[in-house]
Every structure is written in C-alpha cells, then in structure tokens.
C-alpha cells in the first residue's frame, strides 16, 4: 500500500496535468452554461448577480468534486458537505440584506434565488462536471489501477 508514495504515483506531472485538464473542463462547462443560461434574463445580467451566481455554482461544483474524491464516506463527511452547501447559500442570502457593508451587493442573493433557472444551473452544472470526473475515475480504476486501489478492493471483498 505504501508503494504509491514511494513510486511517486500520487503526485507527479501526469497527475497534475490530469487535474489541470479536469479544472479547465469544469471551468469551460461553468462558463458556457452560465453564458447560455443567463444572457436573456435582465435581472441576472448585472455584474454582481452574475458574479454571485457563478461563485455559488463554482463552490457547489468543488464540493461535489470533493465528495467524489472521498474514499471513505460517513455521516460526518455527508454532514459537512450539506452544511457547506446550505451555509454558503444562507450566507449569500443573508449578506445581501446589509447595504452598509457592500452597497453593490444589496439584494443580490434575493434576486438570484428568485429565478428557477438559477436553481436549475446550481444543481445541474456540478452533475455535468461530476459525470466527466466519474468517467475519468472509472477508466483509471478499471484499466490503470494503482496498488492502493487494488488493496482497497481486496479489503472490500473480505
């Protein structure tokens, strides 16, 4: 099981290039979907609303990506992911009621959350990027397993 560390299989140039490629793909999906989804909505075209929507979608995508990378899933992991998603949404909504701290951000969360298109994009974009990550992980697991993955499967079979 320690061979992956000794052979530098977890952190090398090809792993870094794979992560960069996956990040570029996710950013491309997020950007294209946001541009296509929100060009016709007049309230959602403002800089602060569109920026907040893209931020929330990005945070949601990264939380889904973190969930996909977990090798052990338990109650605390699931609870932390749910609290992170809900906490971010509640913070943005609550922060948009304080014009003193950021006048440009006043009511931005309220405007964004009002549209069903926001919620559709918020939940579907991470699924789209997650499907790509699952496909890459499946190919890697089935055709190029590392010793750690093989040991995990043997342990799971026992």
């Amino acid at each position: 099981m320690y061979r992956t560390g000794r052979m530098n299989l977890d952190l090398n140039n090809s792993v870094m290039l794979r992560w960069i490629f996956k990040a570029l793909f996710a950013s491309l999906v997020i950007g294209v979907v946001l541009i296509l989804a929100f060009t016709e909505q007049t309230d959602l075209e403002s800089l602060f609303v569109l920026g907040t929507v893209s931020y929330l979608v990005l945070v949601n995508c990264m939380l889904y990506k973190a969930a996909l990378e977990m090798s052990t899933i338990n109650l605390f992991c699931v609870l932390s992911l749910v609290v992170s998603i809900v906490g971010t949404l509640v913070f943005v909504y609550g922060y948009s009621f304080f014009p003193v701290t950021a006048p440009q951000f006043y009511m931005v969360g309220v405007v964004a959350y009002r549209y069903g298109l926001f919620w559709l994009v918020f939940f579907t974009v991470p699924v789209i990027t997650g499907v790509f990550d699952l496909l890459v992980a499946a190919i890697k697991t089935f055709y190029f397993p590392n010793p750690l993955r093989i040991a995990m499967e043997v342990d799971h079979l026992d």
Side-chain angles (χ1 to χ4, degrees):
M1 286 180 48
Y2 297 107
R3 189 175 358 162
T4 59
R6 287 194 321 258
M7 294 175 59
N8 202 20
L9 297 176
D10 291 331
L11 188 61
N12 56 32
N13 290 337
S14 66
V15 171
M16 294 299 291
L17 284 175
R18 191 168 43 244
W19 275 98
I20 289 171
F21 178 72
K22 289 190 323 188
L24 287 173
F25 175 77
S27 66
L28 182 69
V29 168
I30 292 169
V32 168
V33 169
L34 287 175
I35 289 170
L36 292 176
F38 296 119
T39 53
E40 300 297 323
Q41 301 289 334
T42 57
D43 288 344
L44 294 174
E45 285 181 352
S46 91
L47 177 66
F48 291 99
V49 175
L50 191 58
T52 302
V53 169
S54 63
Y55 166 75
L56 289 171
V57 169
L58 177 66
V59 167
N60 201 18
C61 282
M62 293 307 107
L63 287 171
Y64 278 35
K65 191 174 288 289
L68 291 175
E69 290 296 320
M70 289 181 192
S71 58
T72 302
I73 298 176
N74 55 30
L75 177 66
F76 297 112
C77 295
V78 173
L79 190 63
S80 67
L81 290 171
V82 169
V83 167
S84 296
I85 292 171
V86 172
T88 305
L89 290 170
V90 168
F91 175 78
V92 167
Y93 188 77
Y95 189 72
S96 65
F97 286 108
F98 295 103
V100 176
T101 56
Q104 303 88 353
F105 199 73
Y106 182 64
M107 300 302 279
V108 166
V110 176
V111 170
Y113 295 175
R114 186 182 311 149
Y115 289 92
L117 189 59
F118 162 74
W119 296 106
L120 180 69
V121 168
F122 182 75
F123 288 112
T124 56
V125 170
V127 171
I128 294 169
T129 59
V131 165
F132 177 73
D133 288 338
L134 284 176
L135 179 66
V136 170
I139 291 171
K140 183 181 169 192
T141 300
F142 290 127
Y143 297 109
F144 309 105
N146 61 12
L148 181 61
R149 177 60 64 183
I150 293 169
M152 288 171 68
E153 288 185 21
V154 168
D155 185 51
H156 182 70
L157 291 176
D158 290 341

